[in-house]
Amino acid sequence: MGKFVLLDTRLFAPGADLSGASNKIELTSEIEDKDATNYRSGGWKEVLGGLGSAEISAEGQWEAGDPSMVDNSSWTNLGGVGPYTVCPTDSVVGALAYITSGMRADYKVGDAVGEIAPWAGTVKSSWPLVRGQIGHPPGTARTTTGTGTILNLGAIPAGKRLYTALHVLSATGTTPSITVRIESGDATLTTPTTRLTFAAASAAGGQILRGNGAAITDAYYRVGWTITGTTPSFMFAVSLGIR
């Protein structure tokens, strides 16, 4: 991806797509520098990496009325920890995505008379900020069991983990249920291995999972889902990456 203008950045907060109500999204990730300078540091300050942290700050136009809107989502998740996915440009399969589990730390609304009602909020990380990809796009409704597009994420060395976030944006039908999983294998995924499985979901909401740090030699991954119920339909987004 070369230089570009921010025009279609996407923000998914547990079970809501806040992209259409956002006009500013910022990501920060940092590692504390701990002073380790001593008499053998050669006259230069010496530092070691300490604790890491990440933060998502966003703002935009206030909306309320159902769980998909920013006010409902913000109040529901304020003080709680959940999955967040940010895409710098669009959220098609394979699009660059940043993923974390974080606490919704604050929420601000209101401005002067005559202004479009604004909102602003911050998420502070509980897990690392992971650079990954979109594995399932938010704009495709699923009504039956299936699998998604195969992505080449690369092998996972020991000590690194597979991270994945699920954002169920809507669920309709009678007793609808969806169980989403992440599979890996060779380039064709003819005989896939299930690596991570989310809990069954029947309503809008979010989940995030990560692997155990064991090495995985498979380089190819995809999203799979099992849907049950009477006339079920789900809109959901899945992001995944390695760190």
Side-chain angles (χ1 to χ4, degrees), residues 154-162 182-185 193-196 211-221 242:
I156 303 177
K160 300 285 187 179
R161 302 187 189 205
L162 173 66
I182 305 298
E183 300 176 340
S184 72
T193 299
T194 297
R195 297 298 177 180
L196 295 169
N212 60 10
I216 299 176
T217 58
D218 295 341
Y220 295 89
Y221 295 80
I242 298 168

Side-chain angles (χ1 to χ4, degrees), residues 135-229:
H136 188 276
T140 302
R142 300 296 185 182
T143 59
T144 58
T145 295
T147 55
T149 303
I150 296 172
L151 300 173
N152 184 354
L153 292 184
I156 303 177
K160 300 285 187 179
R161 302 187 189 205
L162 173 66
Y163 289 78
T164 181
L166 167 66
H167 305 275
V168 177
L169 305 174
S170 67
T172 60
T174 303
T175 62
S177 177
I178 185 170
T179 302
V180 176
R181 65 190 179 277
I182 305 298
E183 300 176 340
S184 72
D186 62 15
T188 64
L189 263 79
T190 304
T191 55
T193 299
T194 297
R195 297 298 177 180
L196 295 169
T197 303
F198 293 99
S202 58
Q207 302 177 49
I208 189 166
L209 298 172
R210 61 183 174 185
N212 60 10
I216 299 176
T217 58
D218 295 341
Y220 295 89
Y221 295 80
R222 72 181 176 194
V223 179
W225 56 90
T226 302
I227 293 177
T228 61

